[in-house]
Amino acid sequence: MTPKTEPNVPSFDVSIETGLSLAQVEERKKQKLTNHTKKVVSKSYGRIFFDNFANPFNVLLIAITIIMIWGQLRFTNFLFAFILALNIGIGIYQDIHARHLIERLKVLSDDRCTVLRERKETKISKEEVVLSDVIILSQGEQIPADAIVRTGHCSCDESLLTGESVAAKKGPNDRLYSGTFIKSGRVVAEVVHVGKDSYAEKLQASAKKFARPKSEIAQSIWDITAICTLIALGFGIAYTVVAFLRRDIEWSMFFPMSMEGTRFIEGLSGSMVAMLPTGMFLLTSVALTTGVIHLAKRDMLVQELYCIEMLARVDVICFDKTGTLTDGNMSVGEVIPLHGWTESELAFAISLILDATGDDNVTAHALKERFGDRNKTPVRCCVPFDSENKYSAVTRADGGSYALGAYGFVPAEKEREIELLLESYKKKGYRCIVVANSENDIENGVLPRNFKIYGVLVLHDHIKDDAKSNIAWFQDSGVEVYVISGDDPVTVSEIASKCGVNGANEFVDMSTVSDDDIPELIKTKRIFGRVLPDQKRKLVLALQEEGHKVAMTGDGVNDILALKAADCSIAMASGASAAKNAAHLICTKSDFSSLPDVVAQGRRVINNLQRSCTLFLTKTLFALLVSTAFLISLACGGSRYPFSTAHLLVWEIITIGLASFFLALQPSSERIQGSMLKNIFLRSIPSGIAEALCVALPFLFRVFFADIIAYAPEYVYSSTVSMAVLAFTYFSFITLFQTCRPLNRYRSFVFGGSVLLAVVIMITDFFLRNKEGEGILLHFMWKGFSWGFPALLAATLAIAAAFYYGSIYLLETRPNKRRQQQ
């Protein structure tokens, strides 16, 4: 019998013994009945361009640039636009480079499925599956296309589609849905829907709306830039309206453009550009993308860009034993027959179970290597291994049953001698499973209760060479290590102890506790054995309820629920395909030795972003305070905003633009604490106010000490502006110095290089002056200063610095005092 496909779709009478012929495969390809779907990449080229260019604040900056061109401003006023273009270019390059790396890694980690064609089992890409293909599915494999079971039985996890965590039992003529995965068992099925006609693709088609992963970084940066854009736009409109109402400007000044019109546009553009944290959004993208590239070089495929943020905040990491502490290469060490059985009788029972159930996991591989799995003795029914039951079993065609699994889970009578034997091996870190026999049959998947144990298998699991150093790195870096395994807790405890896990000697047997006990247990215990899949998820959720950011590593079907619940999940490329689909990161070399570097990379990105974003927001707060003050001044008949974009050249390009870029790339493994937005504001508010004081004080001195600012009245205003420009330019280096603390070789180089470059620009501006004495780079007036000018400038910097460091002292000491009082 051939399962029916959709109406009007040609069908083949396919044999499950032979599968499709190559000619039939070619015919299906010509009919375009393949499993090919639209290729999903990390970002389309259009999206890369949009994210790095066409956002609101960039659009506003471009509009300001156009107005400045219309206003015939000098070339040096437009240098901020070159920095903007450079940031955009770097962002686009990094995104494209990351996309290419990710595509190459996806080729390495892409899942393949087994099909039967012309009597040969062949591994092919899921996209190469065609309609009517006969596919062979085993435990942990994701179903590539809708299919009908022809032979075999399995448990299928359909939670990805239905949200229901209870596995669905599948047998002959039952439907399998693409996107779900085999939890246990082995089946041969015929594909009935492919590509866009499959159930999962139809669901996906109804929800194609683009959405970024939730992220504090993304939300914080977006909030800052959006608010700054609105404020700058609102200020520009208000400033222009006030200027017209006060008759400070008239339309005739702009048609044609006059000197007064040019000066107005120069001041307006200077204030608006200063308010915008130019490059902050792009710097975030560059920093995250650089992190993706670095992780790709470490063979880690990032499936969600903003999971790097979660890496930085992780303070708990949950390991499974196999594949993380141990290398997963299990072998059978000792075979201990009991009650008169021989090793050959045990081998017969084991190979029969492996052949009938099709179990495909680490333990099954070790058993197959020792005992084989080609026992074709007829069986009446079988129960494949399931991580919840922790056993597999068969009933022979002539009656009677065999079972293979964990002691205490196989329903056998307890024997003190066997318990003592198992305990002795578990204390050495070995894993033990038992082989049992019953004269009764399995009924409806339920094992008889009268099994008797006739053999013990001792499995050796090699501890990874770098496991101890990896565990030490996490614990020394403030990340608590939990080991959550389905194995016997004594064995898990012994291996964790050898790896140096804190609290490894105290363990919990999760088969003996209730879910209500979990919230209390996670406060004091670190080692959990005999953990069921849903219990893994509940352990992760309990840790999150305690305020922890949890990373989960896993590679098997039993890890899926916990991986989906964790803040950051990491799977191995060699693991179950469903585990990879649930994970944020995939280790393409199936080696978790790079995990310390992964977490350190996340910390580097977030720590550096906090440092760099502080520089941007300082300038924004400065501009907001100063622009508001001069808007009030203009409304009252006083001075306009006096600074142009050229006056901010050193600040904009050196202490913010270049410095933030290099600071964003520096090494950093400090633990992240507190909210990113709060951290940025706490650092930028004191510096923003201090920078504003660098403008307020010179204009205040102008009122009381005009005669000692400049040697002639006509130079008082220009000298006051010059003093303010020098003050906030010099002070920007104080802010940069504070941002670079604690100094190391790299940050010292960034700071020293910035100072040297600023000196070169200042000297160049001094020597390249027009006939009025104004520099062509900074538009800085280099003449008219009186003898008191340096003294007032020094007083301005001293007062601003005193305020700045006083504020920092208060902000740092008050929380410490509060914690001490608590």
Side-chain angles (χ1 to χ4, degrees), residues 149-270:
V149 176
R150 298 289 296 273
T151 63
H153 294 80
C154 68
S155 295
C156 191
D157 190 321
E158 299 179 342
S159 61
L160 295 173
L161 298 179
T162 65
E164 177 57 58
S165 60
V166 178
K169 303 293 183 182
K170 303 284 184 177
N173 297 320
D174 287 336
R175 181 176 287 262
L176 303 174
Y177 295 102
S178 60
T180 63
F181 61 91
I182 305 299
K183 192 173 181 183
S184 63
R186 183 177 184 271
V187 295
V188 178
E190 181 180 343
V191 175
V192 294
H193 291 134
V194 290
K196 60 182 177 58
D197 294 323
S198 64
Y199 184 71
E201 284 294 318
K202 288 179 179 178
L203 281 182
Q204 186 178 356
S206 65
K208 287 196 179 230
K209 185 178 179 183
F210 178 84
R212 288 186 179 275
K214 291 183 179 179
S215 163
E216 184 184 344
I217 296 176
Q219 192 61 49
S220 298
I221 300 301
W222 178 257
D223 288 346
I224 291 171
T225 50
I227 292 171
C228 291
T229 300
L230 290 174
I231 290 174
L233 184 60
F235 172 81
I237 294 172
Y239 192 78
T240 304
V241 169
V242 170
F244 272 107
L245 291 176
R246 296 291 305 178
R247 297 190 178 278
D248 194 61
I249 58 170
E250 297 178 354
W251 288 112
S252 59
M253 295 179 182
F254 304 103
F255 304 99
M257 186 61 61
S258 66
M259 183 61 71
E260 282 297 313
T262 297
R263 288 178 178 172
F264 176 79
I265 291 176
E266 188 175 39
L268 177 64
S269 60

Side-chain angles (χ1 to χ4, degrees), residues 335-338 341-351 371 435-436 454-457:
V335 179
I336 306 173
L338 301 170
W341 273 37
T342 64
E343 185 171 333
S344 60
E345 288 176 302
L346 291 176
F348 177 87
I350 294 166
S351 61
F371 303 107
V435 184
Y454 284 94
V456 173
L457 307 178

Side-chain angles (χ1 to χ4, degrees), residues 625-702:
L625 293 171
V626 172
S627 298
T628 302
F630 280 104
L631 176 61
I632 296 171
S633 171
L634 181 63
C636 297
S639 301
R640 299 179 192 169
Y641 184 84
F643 309 115
S644 68
T645 52
H647 287 142
L648 301 172
L649 182 65
V650 172
W651 194 1
E652 187 85 49
I653 293 180
I654 299 175
T655 57
I656 294 179
L658 292 176
S660 64
F661 176 77
F662 285 108
L663 287 176
L665 303 178
Q666 66 178 317
S668 176
S669 59
E670 302 166 22
R671 183 175 173 181
I672 306 297
Q673 295 182 343
S675 161
M676 179 178 176
L677 195 59
K678 181 180 178 181
N679 290 338
I680 293 173
F681 270 105
L682 286 178
R683 294 175 182 177
S684 58
I685 289 176
S687 54
I689 296 174
E691 294 276 7
L693 283 174
C694 290
V695 174
L697 290 172
F699 277 86
L700 185 63
F701 293 154
R702 176 190 171 201

Side-chain angles (χ1 to χ4, degrees), residues 424-454:
S424 66
Y425 281 107
K426 290 175 186 176
K427 287 181 178 179
K428 297 176 183 178
Y430 297 129
R431 182 182 176 193
C432 299
I433 55 178
V434 299
V435 184
N437 180 55
S438 171
E439 297 301 320
N440 299 107
D441 297 346
I442 299 170
E443 299 290 343
N444 299 319
V446 179
L447 272 62
R449 310 303 299 176
N450 61 342
F451 274 95
K452 186 175 182 64
I453 296 173
Y454 284 94

Side-chain angles (χ1 to χ4, degrees), residues 384-623:
F385 177 83
D386 187 281
S387 53
E388 294 186 10
N389 296 328
K390 301 189 185 302
Y391 59 72
S392 53
V394 297
T395 292
R396 303 184 301 274
D398 59 353
S401 303
Y402 294 131
L404 173 69
Y407 182 78
F409 287 81
V410 174
E413 56 187 84
K414 299 289 180 70
E415 297 182 53
R416 181 61 180 166
E417 293 79 4
I418 294 178
E419 289 179 351
L420 292 173
L421 176 67
L422 294 175
E423 195 70 23
S424 66
Y425 281 107
K426 290 175 186 176
K427 287 181 178 179
K428 297 176 183 178
Y430 297 129
R431 182 182 176 193
C432 299
I433 55 178
V434 299
V435 184
N437 180 55
S438 171
E439 297 301 320
N440 299 107
D441 297 346
I442 299 170
E443 299 290 343
N444 299 319
V446 179
L447 272 62
R449 310 303 299 176
N450 61 342
F451 274 95
K452 186 175 182 64
I453 296 173
Y454 284 94
V456 173
L457 307 178
V458 181
L459 302 178
H460 294 180
D461 205 352
H462 179 258
I463 295 176
K464 296 177 70 173
D465 295 335
D466 56 2
K468 192 167 186 177
S469 60
N470 288 342
I471 295 297
W473 185 93
F474 282 113
Q475 294 178 160
D476 292 343
S477 300
V479 180
E480 295 182 41
V481 175
Y482 284 68
V483 182
I484 302 174
S485 175
D487 290 345
D488 186 278
V490 178
T491 302
V492 178
S493 172
E494 180 62 25
I495 289 178
S497 180
K498 290 178 180 178
C499 293
V501 178
N502 292 337
N505 294 328
E506 296 186 23
F507 55 83
V508 178
D509 185 342
M510 291 298 291
S511 64
T512 64
V513 301
S514 68
D515 292 346
D516 294 336
D517 299 327
I518 291 176
E520 287 301 318
L521 289 173
I522 57 102
K523 295 178 181 178
T524 56
K525 300 295 189 292
R526 299 291 180 270
I527 310 300
F528 297 84
R530 295 283 184 237
V531 186
L532 300 178
D534 192 52
Q535 288 179 320
K536 286 191 176 185
R537 179 182 67 87
K538 289 174 180 175
L539 285 165
V540 170
L541 293 176
L543 287 166
Q544 291 171 331
E545 285 292 322
E546 288 294 312
H548 295 291
K549 295 295 182 183
V550 183
M552 177 74 195
T553 66
D555 61 350
V557 176
N558 60 328
D559 299 317
I560 302 296
L561 296 175
L563 289 171
K564 290 165 69 176
D567 296 294
C568 184
S569 51
I570 307 161
M572 289 196 300
S574 62
S577 58
K580 289 181 282 185
N581 288 333
H584 300 114
L585 288 155
I586 297 175
C587 183
T588 58
K589 283 197 172 180
S590 301
D591 182 3
F592 284 138
S593 62
S594 58
L595 276 184
D597 190 58
V598 170
V599 174
Q601 183 65 18
R603 291 182 174 183
R604 182 195 69 78
V605 170
I606 306 307
N607 275 319
N608 293 342
L609 276 178
Q610 289 187 163
R611 291 179 183 273
S612 300
C613 289
T614 299
L615 297 174
F616 284 102
L617 201 57
T618 293
K619 181 174 72 73
T620 297
L621 292 173
F622 158 84

